[in-house]
Amino acid sequence: MAEVQFCGVSRRYAGGLEALRNLDLTVQDGEYLILVGPSGCGKSTALRLLAGLDKPTTGEIKIGGSTVNDLGPGERDIAMVFQNYALYPHMTVYGNLAYGLRQRKTPRRDIEQRVREIAAILEIGELLDRKPGQLSGGQRQRVAMGRALVRKPRAFLLDEPLSNLDAKLRTQVRGELKRLHREYPVTSIYVTHDQTEAMTLGDRLCVMSKGEVQQIGSPDDIYNRPANTFVATFMGNPPMSLVPASVSGGVLQIAGAAVHSVAAPDGPATAGVRPEHVTVQPAATAPDAAVGAVVDFCEPLGSHVLVHTLVHVDGEPARVVVAAPPGTFYDPGAAVALGLSPEKTYLFDAETGSAVRSRERISLG
C-alpha cells in the first residue's frame, strides 16, 4: 500500500480543452477516496493520469513518495477495475485471477495461495472453474476486482465499476465493496457520478466540476457543510432546493417572509434547504415566519411523500421539495406554507455561490 499525491496536476488537450486544472490531492495510505462529479468534470482523467494511461500537462503524480510521471502503467504497481469488467472470455475464473501473477513469473505455489485467498474474500471460490460467460454481472465484477487485488497492488483504482449493473445488484455489490475494503484496506480511488455510491463507500469525497475540485471532505462534511451551491445541489437525492433571498438587519427574508435571524451581512443571497429539513402545512394555519408556496405535485414513495412546491420571488418560481410524512397530500395549486429550520437553512453568496454561513469549517481541499 502507498500514499498517492497529485501535486498541481493539469491536463490540457489540443484545442485548449482543459480536462483537469491544478489538482492538489493527497490520498492517505489505506484510504478509500471517491472522485465524484458529473460527466466531463475531470474525475476519469485524474484516474487515467494516475494509472499511466495518459500524461499530465503540468504537475507531479507521486505514489509512495516517488514521482511516477515518466513511468509506464506496468511500472507503477497499481491495479485498475473498469466498468466493462475486461475479463478474458476464453479463460476460467481461476485463469483470469492468476493471469497477472503468471505474467510476473510468480511461483506456482504462490499463485495458488493468492488466488484461493482472494477468491475466499470475494466469495467466488466455487466459481473458479467457470468461464465469464457463465457468470452473472455481479459475479463478473467480483472476478474483475479479484484479478486486480490478487497482485497486492500499492493502489487500487476503480472507474465506475458498478455502472453496468442493475439497481438491486448495485446495492449488493456496493456492500461487498465496503466489506472488501474493511478486510483488505488497499489505498483505493473510486470514480463515480452516482452520489449515493460516493456517500456510502468513501472515507472522503472529492467533488469535482469542470476540471476543478469543489470540495474535499467526509460524507458528513459534504452533505451537511457544502462549500457552494454546486456541491449542495449535486449531493443529495432529491437535491437541496435553492431560493433567492435577502438579508436585512440580520434577518433572512424569502418571498416577503421574515424567516429567522442569520449571522450574515445585509444584501442579496441564496437560501438552501434540504427536503428533510422543511415542513409543509396549509397556508391558513401557517405562522408569520413561514414561506408562502403553491403545490405543483406530490410523489408518494411509501416511507415518505415528496411535495413539490413553487415559491414565487419577484415573479419568478423557485422549486422547493419537501419530504413529508406518509399520507400527506395536497391538490396541485393548493396554497401552503413552508417552515424552515434556522439550524438547517444554508446561505450562499448570490453572485459566487460560495457558502456564506456554515456551522463548521468548510474544506476546499
Side-chain angles (χ1 to χ4, degrees):
M1 297 187 291
E3 181 181 84
V4 171
Q5 292 175 286
F6 292 86
C7 306
V9 173
S10 297
R11 181 63 174 104
R12 289 185 293 275
Y13 293 99
L17 174 64
E18 194 166 27
L20 198 64
R21 186 178 304 116
N22 197 33
L23 176 61
D24 285 305
L25 174 65
T26 297
V27 186
Q28 301 296 332
D29 189 0
E31 183 179 19
Y32 208 131
L33 182 114
I34 311 294
L35 296 177
V36 60
S39 297
C41 72
K43 57 188 187 295
S44 290
T45 298
L47 209 66
R48 288 177 56 82
L49 293 174
L50 178 57
L53 303 176
D54 198 357
K55 288 192 174 184
T57 306
T58 59
E60 283 186 304
I61 298 174
K62 297 182 179 182
I63 302 176
S66 300
T67 301
V68 298
N69 289 41
D70 296 327
L71 298 183
E75 302 173 285
R76 300 190 181 197
D77 193 18
I78 57 177
M80 192 165 182
V81 175
F82 301 91
Q83 67 183 59
N84 62 355
Y85 316 132
L87 300 176
Y88 296 109
H90 64 286
M91 293 184 181
T92 63
V93 170
Y94 186 99
N96 271 279
L97 294 176
Y99 181 79
L101 297 177
R102 287 171 175 162
Q103 291 296 105
R104 289 167 175 77
K105 303 188 184 305
T106 304
R108 181 175 298 179
R109 181 181 298 177
D110 292 343
I111 292 176
E112 177 77 13
Q113 179 182 347
R114 289 293 301 145
V115 168
R116 299 287 177 183
E117 177 185 336
I118 291 298
I121 290 174
L122 293 171
E123 299 179 355
I124 54 174
E126 73 282 2
L127 306 177
L128 293 177
D129 293 329
R130 298 188 192 180
K131 291 186 177 180
Q134 299 172 295
L135 306 178
S136 68
Q139 290 169 335
R140 277 181 281 176
Q141 192 57 271
R142 277 184 277 174
V143 174
M145 289 186 288
R147 189 177 61 182
L149 287 171
V150 75
R151 289 173 33 210
K152 294 185 177 179
R154 292 198 290 172
F156 191 28
L157 313 183
L158 302 100
D159 190 5
E160 305 205 47
L162 308 186
S163 60
N164 287 341
L165 306 181
D166 61 50
K168 183 177 180 180
L169 195 52
R170 274 202 306 272
T171 301
Q172 176 189 333
V173 177
R174 205 163 57 220
E176 292 172 353
L177 282 172
K178 205 170 183 73
R179 174 184 60 82
L180 178 62
H181 189 259
R182 184 175 64 248
E183 296 176 3
Y184 199 86
V186 179
T187 304
S188 301
I189 302 176
Y190 185 109
V191 162
T192 183
H193 64 274
D194 187 318
Q195 53 93 17
T196 301
E197 284 181 21
M199 293 289 291
T200 56
L201 285 173
D203 297 324
R204 282 192 306 153
L205 279 55
C206 175
V207 185
M208 302 182 68
S209 176
K210 298 179 180 179
E212 293 186 310
V213 172
Q214 300 298 308
Q215 186 174 358
I216 300 172
S218 68
D220 181 68
D221 285 333
I222 299 297
Y223 189 79
N224 292 308
R225 290 167 285 278
N228 53 44
T229 53
F230 175 83
V231 177
T233 55
F234 186 78
M235 304 303 294
N237 185 26
M240 181 181 290
S241 300
L242 300 179
V243 182
S246 63
V247 178
S248 178
V251 177
L252 176 64
Q253 302 196 23
I254 301 175
V259 181
H260 51 67
S261 60
V262 292
D266 287 1
T270 299
V273 287
R274 295 203 180 277
E276 63 270 27
H277 300 151
V278 189
T279 60
V280 59
Q281 63 186 97
T285 62
D288 292 340
V291 177
V294 174
V295 173
D296 190 13
F297 60 92
C298 294
E299 284 186 287
L301 297 175
S303 62
H304 61 284
V305 176
L306 293 179
V307 182
H308 293 252
T309 72
L310 298 174
V311 175
H312 287 82
V313 180
D314 296 330
E316 295 295 325
R319 183 172 299 275
V320 176
V321 181
V322 184
T328 301
F329 178 78
Y330 292 96
D331 290 319
V336 294
L338 308 180
L340 279 59
S341 167
E343 292 77 20
K344 296 293 185 178
T345 302
Y346 298 84
L347 213 57
F348 303 94
D349 186 282
E351 292 186 9
T352 67
S354 297
V356 172
R357 181 173 68 93
S358 179
R359 292 180 296 282
E360 294 182 30
R361 180 179 65 86
I362 293 170
S363 170
L364 295 174

